[in-house]
């Protein structure tokens, strides 16, 4: 069976535990978890590296929750309004990479309210829960 390249997209600090658990699950299935935590030092801007990795993945798993995330300014390759997570998803969708979106925890948060409308079209969205968490 061929190994699948799965790009993990989410905000970093608030999703750290989720990112670790999902990466471990992907690796347990003998697939490759592509995520910013494992990126080596790169000469290009972080946004460029993330876009290239998302575009080259077989599937993108995006976790949307409490924060909107870093918004790259114009001088760093962004547009000053979209988060890097949103740009990663848009890049994947533009390349016909499947995108699976998961929503951990409460669904009525500022980050989620801002992100979810742009994810709904052409993206499978479902809940995710870590062991020890209670469903809301």
């Amino acid at each position: 069976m061929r190994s699948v390249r799965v790009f993990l997209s989410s905000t970093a600090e608030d999703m750290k535990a989720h990112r670790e658990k999902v990466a471990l699950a992907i690796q347990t299935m003998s697939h490759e978890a592509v995520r910013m935590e494992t990126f080596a030092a790169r000469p290009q801007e972080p946004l460029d590296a993330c876009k290239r990795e998302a575009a080259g993945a077989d599937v993108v798993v995006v976790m949307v929750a409490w924060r909107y995330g870093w918004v790259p300014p114009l001088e760093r390759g962004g547009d000053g309004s979209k988060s890097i997570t949103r740009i990663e998803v848009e890049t994947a969708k533009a390349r016909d990479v499947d995108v699976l979106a998961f929503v951990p925890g409460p669904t009525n948060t500022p980050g989620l309210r801002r992100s979810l409308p742009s994810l709904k079209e052409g993206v499978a969205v479902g809940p995710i829960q870590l062991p020890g968490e209670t469903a809301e």
Side-chain angles (χ1 to χ4, degrees), residues 25-108:
I26 291 166
Q27 292 163 347
T28 299
M29 294 184 288
S30 299
H31 298 305
E32 180 184 1
V34 180
R35 56 196 180 118
M36 64 185 157
E37 295 89 343
T38 61
F39 289 178
R42 297 176 184 213
Q44 76 264 41
E45 289 289 337
L47 178 58
D48 294 333
C50 288
K51 285 170 62 175
R52 183 170 52 254
E53 294 293 350
D58 296 307
V59 65
V60 169
V61 170
V62 59
M63 294 175 282
V64 182
W66 306 283
R67 297 180 57 230
Y68 187 67
W70 178 59
V71 176
L74 294 171
E75 62 272 9
R76 305 271 318 260
D79 66 1
S81 66
K82 294 179 184 175
S83 73
I84 192 168
T85 304
R86 181 173 175 181
I87 294 168
E88 290 165 348
V89 169
E90 289 177 350
T91 299
K93 288 170 60 176
R95 296 287 182 112
D96 291 325
V97 174
D98 290 331
V99 177
L100 305 173
F102 295 93
V103 181
T107 58
N108 190 25

